[in-house]
Amino acid sequence: MADKIHCAHILVKTETEAKNVKARLDKGEKFATIAQNVSMCPSGKKGGDLGTFTKGKMVKDFEKAAFALEKGQTSVPVKTQFGYHIIKRLE
């Protein structure tokens, strides 16, 4: 298992918004475009790109979901104290 991964995410307030984002992705919309339009995180301006990070750098539930993804895979909505994330593993 990798100890350093590269991910992007889209952060929204509600589970409903997160499910809508996931549905848009499943229909083929570009992750970066959706991130720029709806993400509450400053990373949204960069298409949601969080860069590379190691274990222990992100909140537990986010990290667990991110490290479970295969390269190119997108998560289901993940709830943290910040809201709901859709995470995409880039590398």
Side-chain angles (χ1 to χ4, degrees):
M1 181 187 269
D3 39 310
K4 186 191 275 186
I5 59 173
H6 183 190
C7 291
H9 80 138
I10 297 169
L11 175 62
V12 293
K13 257 192 187 93
T14 68
E15 188 174 12
T16 301
E17 286 175 282
K19 287 178 177 175
N20 289 340
V21 166
K22 181 72 170 137
R24 289 170 65 183
L25 290 167
D26 291 344
K27 286 183 192 144
E29 278 192 64
K30 291 216 179 308
F31 192 95
T33 305
I34 298 173
Q36 288 167 341
N37 292 328
V38 304
S39 185
M40 302 184 315
C41 181
S43 69
K45 290 180 183 65
K46 297 182 291 188
D49 196 334
L50 294 167
T52 56
F53 55 90
T54 55
K55 288 198 169 176
K57 295 289 181 199
M58 301 290 179
V59 293
K60 198 170 113 232
D61 291 332
F62 182 97
E63 180 180 285
K64 187 175 161 195
F67 276 89
L69 295 170
E70 297 292 323
K71 184 179 173 181
Q73 195 177 25
T74 304
S75 74
V76 296
V78 177
K79 187 180 193 310
T80 70
Q81 70 261 42
F82 302 107
Y84 289 84
H85 307 261
I86 302 289
I87 308 163
K88 181 172 185 172
R89 182 155 174 188
L90 304 173
E91 292 173 43

